[in-house]
Amino acid sequence: MPRVNSIVTRAMSTVAAQLGDPHGLLGKGVALMLNRTNRFAVEAAVEAAGVQAGQAVADIGFGGGVGLSLLLRRVGAAGTVYGVEISPDMAARARSRFTRDIGTGGLRVVEGGLTDLPLAEASLDAAITVNTVYFVADLDRACAELARVVRPAGRVVIGIGDPEAMARMPFTATGFRLRPPAEVAAALERAGLVTEHRRLERQPIPVHLLIGRSGR
């Protein structure tokens, strides 16, 4: 039995690591899975961000890239989408998949993480990040970075799964920081953003959106 438990623990650790940083052959499958399972939350985040044609927006930690497609559709030919991804493999996958949009300048894929965004100050009208803050140790710094890159009247949307429901998933026991929505909202407020909390009912894991509006 201890050997079985050890194998299960290692397997769940592998799953958690891939969700935080998809890579290699397994990462390709994870990317497809992320597009399917995250789509509802990403669509809701794009809607909450109020993305409009001609704007400059970002999906931070875009994973399989479903958010990039949704944002590109929203901003149209006159807008710009920044895809920021910590996984070099996911960034390479996006560059291969979105060659046309990159070629026209509508999409810019850059490598980086939430606590050190490779984006200029006040360069975005909106930024979304969905199911990423589980893997960030310094939440205050991540929220400060999000606040830094949005323009006055811009919006930041952080999407997370309900922590109680997430805690029942076997893969979250290792490598995940399951923070209550109030903790995420407080970090956004410390970064100077006026924050709204929306809960979206969905099975098996409800979605929380923390929407920060710049007070500048």
Side-chain angles (χ1 to χ4, degrees), residues 171-186:
F171 55 83
T172 62
T174 304
F176 276 70
R177 294 177 174 85
L178 300 178
R179 299 179 171 97
E183 183 178 337
V184 180

Side-chain angles (χ1 to χ4, degrees), residues 98-124:
F98 294 98
T99 52
R100 180 179 176 278
D101 298 292
I102 292 171
T104 62
L107 174 63
R108 302 178 187 180
V109 177
V110 293
E111 293 178 29
L114 271 168
T115 55
D116 190 16
L117 292 173
L119 300 169
E121 183 173 350
S123 59
L124 302 175

Side-chain angles (χ1 to χ4, degrees), residues 9-100:
T9 298
R10 286 201 301 271
M12 291 302 101
S13 295
T14 298
V15 171
Q18 282 287 342
L19 291 172
D21 181 8
H23 57 275
L25 186 60
L26 185 56
K28 294 180 180 180
V30 170
L32 296 174
M33 182 271 292
L34 288 173
N35 277 348
R36 184 175 66 254
T37 59
N38 285 350
R39 187 177 188 93
F40 173 82
V42 174
E43 287 178 340
V46 171
E47 189 67 30
V51 176
Q52 298 180 20
Q55 290 188 330
V57 299
D59 185 357
I60 301 161
F62 57 78
V66 65
L68 301 181
S69 296
L70 295 171
L71 290 172
L72 284 164
R73 204 172 302 147
R74 282 292 192 105
V75 303
T80 305
V81 175
Y82 293 85
V84 181
E85 178 55 58
I86 199 168
S87 166
D89 285 10
M90 293 300 99
R93 183 178 185 275
R95 292 187 185 105
S96 175
R97 178 182 171 192
F98 294 98
T99 52
R100 180 179 176 278

